[in-house]
Amino acid sequence: MSNDTSLAGFIRGLPKAELHLHIEGTLEPELIFALARRNGIALPYASVDTLRAAYRFKDLQSFLDLYYAGASVLVTEDDFEAMTQAYLERAQADGVMHAEIMFDPQTHTARGVAMETIFAGMARAMRRMRESAGLSSRLLLSFLRHLTEQEAMQTLEQALPLRERYDDLWVGIGLDSSERGNPPEKFVRVFERARGLGFRLVAHAGEEGPASYVRNALDMLHVERIDHGVASEQDPALMQRLVRAQIPLTVCPLSNLKLCVFPDLAQHNLARMLRLGAMVTVNSDDPAYFGGYVGDNYLACAHALGLTRAELAGLARNSIAASFLDDKDKQRWLHQLDALIKEI
Ligand SMILES: [Zn+2]
């Protein structure tokens, strides 16, 4: 067995949570074509290969344009179920025990898809995988930040009547899409409303945007976790605060590479932040578009950044600690990981 195979096996064997994952970003080209055919939707790509060949991005916006086109094939409950099922099976193969899944209802409701269709399809797959495979998952309803706060508020109000029906799954609120020019302060009121309703809060910040967006997401939106947050390093006082308060950063290394946030993986700051004591985690973001699921992200970082097995296990430990799992489940996985780390 080569070192690479054994390292991949070690990574797969780490019980881990995936905390930064957009379900629409798990649509593989094959599934996009299958759903387009089923729903009679014409795609501007001749084949799976031409679509995959278009996955060369120069920045966040060039990716988002393609991402929204891909999501347009999602119409029925069955479509949302098939997408979610495919992701959960893939995550399970990577040793994911718990997944916190972001979804963008506005991408779908704007095309006439009912909120209920989105929830119902995803829930079917999530509950099935919980029963059949013991894989737990939760939903984070995310607002598109390039749209207005009023539209975000309407989306929240539209989803609220479904809360009770999906209260085993829907636990939180997120903020994603085009970061630059759409700072956290644009969404203060809708986050305030969500907080009052008892939702857990996360937001993308400091991916392409500056460190001040991370600060404002914490101070003005009162989020518990920062999605990405890699720009925090530009502000040493902020970095110290993140370490001191152990505020989780859900880092997505292969995404950062694909969207040119870092010129190559060897220059990524994941290992630096980890060694500084920050609560960093490794995630796949939009794995179908960025060339790798969560296991691939761990493995690529292990190679490019020289992460030790103890550090890889520490990253998995952080992912469980930073999750919104119930305390009992959290302790169970942490206990397993601590035992495993002792043996390294
Ligand atoms: Zn993201």
Side-chain angles (χ1 to χ4, degrees):
M1 202 158 57
S2 76
N3 280 341
D4 196 55
T5 314
S6 63
L7 187 59
F10 171 78
I11 290 167
R12 204 175 309 120
L14 294 169
K16 59 182 87 60
E18 174 145 60
L19 306 178
H20 184 160
L21 182 281
H22 304 271
I23 197 65
E24 295 89 349
T26 68
L27 270 178
E28 293 286 348
E30 290 78 7
L31 188 54
I32 291 180
F33 269 85
L35 297 182
R37 212 172 307 122
R38 182 152 101 185
N39 294 320
I41 291 168
L43 289 170
Y45 300 93
S47 68
V48 165
D49 289 338
T50 36
L51 176 55
R52 205 181 285 280
Y55 290 9
R56 259 183 249 111
F57 313 112
K58 61 180 194 303
D59 55 16
L60 180 59
Q61 196 55 51
S62 62
F63 154 68
L64 287 171
D65 294 342
L66 192 74
Y67 173 83
Y68 294 126
S72 71
V73 300
L74 296 160
V75 180
T76 66
E77 235 176 85
D78 288 350
D79 300 340
F80 286 92
E81 179 186 5
M83 167 176 68
T84 308
Q85 181 72 26
Y87 162 67
L88 290 173
E89 285 174 10
R90 192 63 189 69
Q92 192 193 25
D94 273 355
V96 171
M97 302 300 178
H98 174 73
E100 295 184 0
I101 298 173
M102 286 182 254
F103 68 110
D104 295 330
Q106 287 159 294
T107 302
H108 313 299
T109 52
R111 298 179 289 113
V113 177
M115 188 68 83
E116 168 71 26
T117 302
I118 308 168
F119 270 92
M122 291 190 299
R124 251 197 261 153
M126 293 167 78
R127 287 171 178 158
R128 184 190 308 117
M129 284 300 275
R130 184 177 61 204
E131 301 309 319
S132 68
L135 171 55
S136 70
S137 54
R138 301 284 188 277
L139 287 171
L140 305 172
L141 183 155
S142 298
F143 303 127
L144 298 177
R145 70 199 304 159
H146 63 274
L147 302 178
T148 65
E149 182 180 47
Q150 196 192 351
E151 286 165 298
M153 195 69 94
Q154 283 164 359
T155 301
L156 178 60
E157 298 303 336
Q158 208 181 340
L160 278 179
L162 301 173
R163 190 179 186 187
E164 209 177 293
R165 204 174 312 162
Y166 300 102
D167 67 348
D168 55 329
L169 302 174
W170 180 24
V171 297
I173 295 292
L175 182 65
D176 58 23
S177 186
S178 322
E179 186 182 6
R180 275 196 209 126
N182 296 297
E185 47 269 38
K186 188 175 155 186
F187 295 92
V188 166
R189 275 162 306 201
V190 71
F191 268 70
E192 187 60 44
R193 167 101 173 107
R195 195 154 72 107
L197 290 163
F199 284 108
R200 313 296 296 259
L201 305 178
V202 301
H204 282 50
E207 176 188 14
E208 285 190 340
S212 64
Y213 282 26
V214 175
R215 218 178 255 287
N216 291 351
L218 294 172
D219 294 335
M220 301 173 80
L221 302 185
H222 304 284
V223 300
E224 298 171 63
R225 279 197 319 238
I226 296 288
D227 293 316
H228 292 296
V230 290
S232 306
E233 222 186 15
Q234 298 159 3
D235 178 344
L238 170 64
M239 205 59 229
Q240 274 178 17
R241 173 183 173 187
L242 296 175
V243 172
R244 201 172 47 241
Q246 288 290 284
I247 295 161
L249 305 180
T250 64
V251 179
C252 306
L254 290 177
S255 160
N256 292 156
L257 183 66
K258 255 320 213 205
L259 300 185
C260 311
V261 176
F262 292 91
D264 73 80
L265 212 50
Q267 291 182 47
H268 199 287
N269 62 7
L270 174 86
R272 276 202 302 278
M273 295 195 297
L274 179 70
R275 289 164 191 164
L276 215 63
M279 175 65 84
V280 289
T281 64
V282 169
N283 308 271
S284 68
D285 205 4
D286 300 284
Y289 292 91
F290 298 148
Y293 285 79
V294 69
D296 304 312
N297 274 271
Y298 274 77
L299 188 60
C301 287
H303 287 314
L305 303 169
L307 297 177
T308 64
R309 289 189 178 211
E311 285 175 326
L312 292 164
L315 287 165
R317 193 186 194 287
N318 285 352
S319 74
I320 299 288
S323 74
F324 296 148
L325 270 169
D326 302 336
D327 261 356
K328 199 171 117 258
D329 290 322
K330 201 182 264 197
Q331 289 313 321
R332 181 163 55 102
W333 295 122
L334 289 178
H335 189 74
Q336 269 199 27
L337 276 159
D338 287 338
L340 200 148
I341 289 168
K342 239 193 238 163
E343 283 170 23
I344 293 171

